[in-house]
Amino acid sequence: MSIMKILSILVLVLFPLSSMACSSPKAGFGYPMEKLIDQSKNIFLVQMVSVAEEGFTNTYSLKVVEVLKGNAPEIINFVNYGSKYQDNDFDNHNNIKFWVKDNIGRSKWPCCICGPDHSFKKGVNYLFFPDLLGAIKSAEIVNNKNDKWYKFVQKRINQ
């Protein structure tokens, strides 16, 4: 097979994949935790009140439980693209892995959606950064007020 035929086949195979890639990541992409906190206009502790499932998407309705920064609407809607629920709270965020890597959080970042695919569960609190949902740590589980991430965010805001 000639080199031109191989290149043509390669282009035809790769072109559809590139058209599905994310052209522009969500705001907050790649932010380290300090920048995430500092640049966020709104930081809330939220709980899911309902979920509407439709095909491969879930639309979560989130109720603001506490305002750490900014102005909260009564309900926040967030669309998830089918990722399964991730319940990793990094042992109340005491696990060193959460703190040493900016690209680690509870939510997965699947192909082509331009940000982490956060999922939510009723009765669980989440520290939510609605302005910068491209940051991997923008919807972490906070089981209690002694959670290390929750305390870190509060301290950083109050500096």
Side-chain angles (χ1 to χ4, degrees):
M1 196 180 278
S2 76
I3 191 79
M4 287 307 287
K5 284 184 181 179
I6 293 172
L7 286 174
S8 297
I9 291 170
L10 193 57
V11 166
L12 289 174
V13 169
L14 293 178
F15 181 73
L17 296 176
S18 67
S19 67
M20 294 176 60
C22 180
S23 61
S24 178
K26 289 181 182 177
F29 168 72
Y31 280 19
M33 59 187 85
E34 292 85 357
K35 186 174 181 180
L36 172 62
I37 298 163
D38 296 345
Q39 297 292 312
S40 291
K41 292 179 180 145
N42 299 292
I43 303 173
F44 311 131
L45 197 62
V46 299
Q47 272 191 6
M48 188 219 3
V49 287
S50 66
V51 60
E53 299 175 14
E54 188 175 321
F56 292 105
T57 64
N58 302 306
T59 301
Y60 296 98
S61 293
L62 307 171
K63 172 181 75 171
V64 176
V65 175
E66 180 183 350
V67 176
L68 281 81
K69 186 178 183 183
N71 298 308
E74 196 169 314
I75 295 290
I76 299 169
N77 290 313
F78 179 82
V79 177
N80 157 290
Y81 295 95
S83 290
K84 292 185 179 182
Y85 182 73
Q86 303 292 319
D87 65 353
N88 189 357
D89 73 349
F90 299 92
D91 190 26
N92 282 323
H93 295 96
N94 287 302
N95 187 320
I96 193 71
K97 286 182 185 178
F98 178 82
W99 297 97
V100 297
K101 291 194 168 197
D102 289 324
N103 64 344
I104 289 183
R106 84 170 171 95
S107 299
K108 303 298 180 206
W109 188 315
C111 169
C112 312
I113 67 163
C114 301
D117 200 21
H118 303 304
S119 55
F120 301 91
K121 183 178 174 182
K122 258 190 174 172
V124 178
N125 288 330
Y126 303 88
L127 199 52
F128 194 66
F129 296 75
D131 309 323
L132 301 173
L133 290 170
I136 198 75
K137 295 176 183 352
S138 59
E140 289 295 312
I141 293 172
V142 172
N143 287 314
N144 57 63
K145 302 285 178 138
N146 291 319
D147 181 281
K148 193 172 180 179
W149 176 233
Y150 176 81
K151 285 182 165 187
F152 180 84
V153 171
Q154 275 194 317
K155 184 177 180 183
R156 183 96 183 165
I157 291 169
N158 294 324
Q159 284 182 343

